[in-house]
Amino acid sequence: MNNTTFFQVEDVLTEKIRTEFIGRGNYVIVPDENGADAVVTGAVTGISVTPIGVTEQQLASRYAFTITMRVVFTDARTNTVLWSNESMSFSSEYDLNTRGNESLQGAAFLDQERSSFDRIATDIARSVVTAIVEAF
């Protein structure tokens, strides 16, 4: 679920979290909850993108990115919550090259720079899966 104005963030994060679990081995990922031993659900509750660095032309070139999520890991057989974080927060800084004489506004960051968000989503997925796995 995505409670923000950023388009398709939840799809990218879902795929990255799925890929991160697969990469850790010992996990079989199924397309839906039927037949699963456990289920990860979540919602993106907030996204903040703030310019923090500028070029010589005074155009934004470095951004602080913060995402807040609600993540729940549930035993599908007993419907018991095994791990949850109602306000998981991920923050990092990313360089982004501006185009010509134009600076990207924070709200346009994710919409226009999918490759940058792809890298951010990989970092977020690693954090989410590590938190779940280390809880056991």
Side-chain angles (χ1 to χ4, degrees):
M1 179 185 298
N2 181 2
N3 296 330
T4 73
T5 58
F6 293 96
F7 185 63
Q8 293 182 327
V9 169
E10 71 282 7
D11 296 335
V12 175
L13 287 170
T14 297
E15 185 57 37
K16 292 292 184 175
I17 290 170
R18 179 180 294 128
T19 299
E20 184 67 22
F21 268 114
I22 292 169
R24 301 273 177 122
N26 299 326
Y27 302 101
V28 176
I29 308 301
V30 294
D32 60 43
E33 296 179 25
N34 296 328
D37 294 326
V39 177
V40 176
T41 56
V44 177
T45 57
I47 296 176
S48 169
V49 181
T50 308
I52 59 170
V54 294
T55 65
E56 291 176 7
Q57 295 81 23
Q58 299 303 306
L59 298 174
S61 62
R62 187 164 183 81
Y63 291 81
F65 179 88
T66 303
I67 185 167
T68 307
M69 304 168 52
R70 180 179 63 250
V71 183
V72 180
F73 185 61
T74 306
D75 183 317
R77 294 165 291 172
T78 64
N79 204 29
T80 303
V81 173
L82 302 172
W83 177 89
S84 69
N85 188 328
E86 292 297 314
S87 59
M88 185 170 202
S89 182
F90 175 87
S91 296
S92 195
E93 296 178 6
Y94 295 90
D95 290 321
L96 179 65
N97 295 327
T98 56
R99 294 189 172 114
N101 292 331
E102 201 173 301
S103 175
L104 290 177
Q105 299 299 313
F109 180 86
L110 295 180
D111 294 332
Q112 295 181 17
E113 296 299 329
R114 288 295 174 191
S115 63
S116 295
F117 183 67
D118 190 62
R119 187 175 70 247
I120 292 165
T122 297
D123 293 344
I124 293 167
R126 189 173 302 119
S127 295
V128 169
V129 173
T130 297
I132 291 170
V133 170
E134 287 182 355
F136 296 96

